[in-house]
Amino acid sequence: MGFFSLFKKKKTSDNKALEKANKYKLGMEKTRSGLLNKLKGLFNSYDEITDELFDDLTDIFIMADIGVETTLDFIEELREDERVEGIHSPEELQPIIVDKMFELYLKNEIIDTSLNLVDNELNVVLFVGVNGVGKTTTIAKIANKLVNEEGKKVMLAAGDTFRAGAIDQLKVWGDRLGLEVVTKPEGSDPSSVIFDAIKAAKAGGYDVLLCDTAGRLQNKTNLMAELEKMNRVIQKEVPNGPQETLLVIDATTGQNGLSQAEAFKQITNVTGVVLTKLDGTSKGGIVLAIRDKYNLPIKFVGLGEQMDDLEYFDLEDYIYGLFGEEDEWSIRKDCSLCCFI
């Protein structure tokens, strides 16, 4: 029994999981409609597997923002896959492509997309990313999820003191969610905000402290020094902190998102990625590019504008969102992906 058959059985037995899978499918409609239609057209136009088919497949994946380097490596591995040697029809290539996408992301590792939070102690999560990617809104959505779905006691820290607007926006979200927000006036030392927040969070018995930071990537040296100081302050007060440093990227920016991942990996210890606005792009392949090129796990994806539309990343649901139902793309029943269930 193939991946999609097992996947659908698994999902339909769990209403919550089914709801999440459908949210991925709806949220990735733009990517799927573009990618799926192009793949259908491609495979319908070839009667056999040829070099030209692989070339056209390369173009399609690059257009889906899987990235040039990642796509070239992917196609090369696909060509050399022993399963390809014994087939002749392009239709038989389809499930192998899906299988290889799983392999591309997993890299023979067990990927844990949940936040690295420890019970009975304060957990500090830093959020980094350029301005305009939805960082503050993302913090609010994750706070909402931690409070209402996971029962955590959460505090927010407005560490982006470079912009008064960022401080005000986080305060507005804190008021809406009923959460305490530690702030200081615009121009204050960001590390002092984090220090005060840690002290308050410890005194109040909080589980998680979510910290906003500035996104001034134009001056990497200053931003690096600022983040290094924040990390020193955190580690002095919370020896295991920060437990996570999450890079927020706007999926609609395409290759610019990859450039941001490279830049922030150079200046701080990024532990995972939050990919916002995945529902707003036709190039959702950036998920695979980020994982392949920078070895960063995707922790959350934004699949809509509502407060509960930020979801923990689920590889199965993501692949399902890319390719949809079995009858949308002729996935064979003997697809080997069941090993990932």
Side-chain angles (χ1 to χ4, degrees):
M1 184 179 293
F3 165 71
F4 281 89
S5 298
L6 287 173
F7 178 77
K8 289 195 291 184
K9 282 190 175 183
K10 174 186 174 185
K11 295 303 177 185
T12 52
S13 65
D14 183 335
N15 288 335
K16 189 172 182 180
L18 178 60
E19 181 182 343
K20 182 163 69 73
N22 287 336
K23 189 178 291 186
Y24 266 83
K25 188 176 180 184
L26 289 171
M28 295 184 64
E29 169 63 28
K30 288 185 178 180
T31 294
R32 184 174 62 259
S33 60
L35 179 63
L36 202 58
N37 289 335
K38 289 175 182 176
L39 288 172
K40 281 181 178 178
L42 174 64
F43 286 112
N44 287 336
S45 64
Y46 283 90
D47 295 323
E48 58 183 355
I49 297 173
T50 64
D51 289 339
E52 288 75 16
L53 184 149
F54 282 114
D55 290 342
D56 289 344
L57 198 57
T58 299
D59 293 339
I60 289 173
F61 285 155
I62 290 174
M63 291 291 289
D65 249 5
I66 293 178
V68 175
E69 292 179 22
T70 300
T71 296
L72 293 176
D73 290 343
F74 179 87
I75 295 297
E76 186 63 28
E77 290 186 16
L78 182 65
R79 285 175 179 265
E80 296 176 357
D81 192 294
E82 60 182 15
R83 291 168 295 179
V84 176
E85 296 178 6
I87 63 175
H88 303 285
S89 167
E91 194 172 279
E92 295 177 285
L93 189 63
Q94 297 170 1
I96 302 175
I97 290 173
V98 181
D99 200 346
K100 299 297 288 185
M101 283 191 172
F102 266 78
E103 293 176 10
L104 173 65
Y105 190 90
L106 291 172
K107 297 179 180 290
N108 295 316
E109 298 175 10
I110 297 175
I111 307 297
D112 185 3
T113 61
S114 61
L115 291 178
N116 178 32
L117 303 181
V118 181
D119 292 335
N120 302 315
E121 66 178 66
L122 177 62
N123 297 271
V124 181
V125 181
L126 280 180
F127 289 82
V128 299
V130 300
N131 297 328
V133 295
K135 186 150 42 82
T136 308
T137 304
T138 294
I139 293 172
K141 288 183 176 182
I142 291 178
N144 179 68
K145 185 177 289 290
L146 291 173
V147 171
N148 294 313
E149 296 181 18
E150 302 179 29
K152 302 294 186 183
K153 188 175 182 182
V154 178
M155 178 183 287
L156 310 180
D160 182 1
T161 58
F162 185 72
R163 297 183 303 126
I167 300 170
D168 293 340
Q169 188 181 5
L170 199 63
K171 287 168 66 176
V172 168
W173 279 117
D175 290 341
R176 289 181 185 176
L177 298 172
L179 301 178
E180 183 176 352
V181 183
V182 176
T183 68
K184 283 193 173 185
E186 180 183 4
S188 299
D189 181 0
S191 294
S192 69
V193 178
I194 306 302
F195 178 81
D196 288 353
I198 290 173
K199 289 294 188 182
K202 281 185 171 181
Y206 282 82
D207 300 306
V208 186
L209 174 63
L210 304 180
C211 305
D212 195 6
T213 65
R216 307 187 307 280
L217 196 55
Q218 298 88 340
N219 191 325
K220 290 184 185 179
T221 303
N222 286 355
L223 185 55
M224 180 185 294
E226 190 173 284
L227 290 171
E228 285 178 347
K229 185 177 180 181
M230 283 186 180
N231 277 286
R232 288 196 303 271
V233 168
I234 293 168
Q235 289 163 8
K236 185 175 180 180
E237 300 299 324
V238 182
N240 295 324
Q243 280 76 4
E244 295 275 9
T245 299
L246 300 181
L247 171 61
V248 182
I249 294 176
D250 181 342
T252 65
T253 61
Q255 293 302 300
N256 284 336
L258 293 180
S259 300
Q260 292 163 26
E262 183 169 0
F264 275 95
K265 273 208 73 174
Q266 291 173 356
I267 62 177
T268 194
N269 180 33
V270 177
T271 59
V273 171
V274 181
L275 201 58
T276 65
K277 306 177 188 176
L278 190 60
D279 61 307
T281 181
S282 61
K283 299 184 175 183
I286 190 175
V287 167
L288 297 170
I290 290 172
R291 168 64 178 160
D292 179 60
K293 191 169 182 180
Y294 302 110
N295 203 31
L296 290 171
I298 308 299
K299 294 281 187 172
F300 294 92
V301 289
L303 299 169
E305 297 181 0
Q306 301 303 312
M307 183 58 68
D308 61 352
D309 284 338
L310 187 75
E311 290 286 349
Y312 282 107
F313 181 68
D314 186 308
L315 182 58
E316 294 172 8
D317 287 337
Y318 169 74
I319 298 294
Y320 177 76
L322 276 179
F323 296 104
E325 302 286 356
E326 262 184 290
D327 57 4
E328 287 186 73
W329 199 42
S330 305
I331 303 299
R332 291 186 313 175
K333 296 294 185 181
D334 60 346
C335 177
S336 62
L337 287 175
C338 55
C339 62
F340 293 105
I341 300 295

